[in-house]
Amino acid sequence: MWFFNKKPTVGLTLGSGAARGLSHIGVVKALLEKNVRIDMISGTSMGALVGAHLARYGTISRLEEETLAIDFRNLLRLADPDFLLLFKGFVAGNKVEEFLKMVIGDVEFKDLKIPLWVVASDIRTGEEIVINEGSVVKAVRASISMPVVFTPFNYLNRTLVDGGISNPLPADVLRRAGAKFVIASNVLRKSPIAHATRPAAPVVATTKDGVKINEEVKRMGVNIADIVGNMRKMFMSNKNYDAQKREIPSIFETALGAIYTMEYQVLSCKGADVDVMIMPDVDHIAALEFYRAREAINAGYLKAKAAIENIPKKYLV
């Protein structure tokens, strides 16, 4: 098993951040290109997803292609509202779990190429729950369960939600595990709701692998995109729906904005014991704008390339 093969030295921690967290893909891409050692990984929420893929395959290119291939319409098809649980969360998460199996594989922590620690939060006790054994997909499913958006996930005899609530940038998890040099990718900011002009239409990749993933997502999902689009048109055409009301954040943006403001404060109070902090410029991307993956990935890549100069050569492969 991996923990007998080498002594972990360089740790990579990837924080929470919803769509902004897609910039972690660009950060990892730059680190791998420059042959930076990654001996162990910790992740929260979106950082857990990216970290799990890296830990499984040792590369990030496949995840990048798959992420770029998913447009806004297909993203909506991953939603699986359970009306019996509607007041517990808008998305039950079953289709998301299927998608995670495609992206990560149905593996256990002991089978990973790189040691991984995933952080979730127990919503009943407020405890930080660090998972490093059992099913990787279920651990990530728990870690990405943003309150309001997802129903809480019952796992390990606990009721788990987004790990960012208790530990939005789990660098301390790596320190406790023995990391001597820690690199962090962090997208949390004081202002969690984007103010920049948003693109009129999502950018969609046309890679061979991307087409395959798109078809699989279509097969898994239900066609609610047209329903959402028609509802939006109805509100926008209403004469009482003036410009000022259009500027009011959506219910999801408001809820996630509150969550990420809290996470920023948690991180500010806890601090982050890291040697290199990489902070991609993704303030213009809203929490749910996953279709802006290309922008987020590029932002992470550029920021990481500049930060690599601060990594001593002894930590290169």
Side-chain angles (χ1 to χ4, degrees), residues 51-59 103-107 111-114:
H53 187 278
L54 174 62
R56 168 74 195 283
Y57 297 104
T59 64
V103 172
I104 302 168
D106 194 7
V107 297
D111 301 317
L112 297 174
K113 290 185 176 182
I114 305 173

Side-chain angles (χ1 to χ4, degrees), residues 165-309:
I165 292 176
S166 57
N167 195 345
L169 189 68
D172 55 332
V173 172
L174 296 180
R175 292 295 190 192
R176 292 196 297 269
K180 304 302 180 184
F181 190 86
V182 175
I183 303 166
S185 181
N186 172 38
V187 297
L188 289 179
R189 300 289 193 278
K190 289 183 179 180
S191 177
I193 296 179
H195 296 286
T197 302
R198 300 177 188 176
V203 178
V204 183
T206 56
T207 63
K208 181 178 179 181
D209 289 344
V211 172
K212 181 179 179 181
I213 292 296
N214 263 331
E215 291 303 316
E216 185 66 14
V217 172
K218 289 177 182 177
R219 183 191 65 79
M220 287 162 42
V222 294
N223 187 14
I224 65 173
D226 291 335
I227 298 175
V228 174
N230 290 334
M231 289 178 63
R232 183 177 183 275
K233 289 178 182 178
M234 179 182 70
F235 283 112
M236 295 295 280
S237 62
N238 190 318
K239 63 181 181 180
N240 295 321
Y241 195 78
D242 56 28
Q244 184 177 5
K245 291 178 182 177
R246 291 189 185 96
E247 293 300 317
I248 297 176
S250 70
I251 184 173
F252 291 113
E253 287 178 316
T254 300
L256 294 180
I259 291 170
Y260 289 129
T261 296
M262 179 197 69
E263 291 185 9
Y264 175 82
Q265 296 299 331
V266 170
L267 181 58
S268 298
C269 292
K270 287 186 63 172
D273 181 15
V274 305
D275 298 285
V276 174
M277 177 74 80
I278 301 171
M279 301 182 69
D281 296 321
V282 287
D283 289 358
H284 60 291
I285 298 175
L288 295 178
E289 292 183 329
F290 290 96
Y291 57 87
R292 301 182 72 172
R294 189 178 301 278
E295 297 171 63
I297 292 171
N298 288 341
Y301 181 78
L302 293 174
K303 208 69 172 184
K305 283 190 68 175
I308 287 172
E309 297 180 3

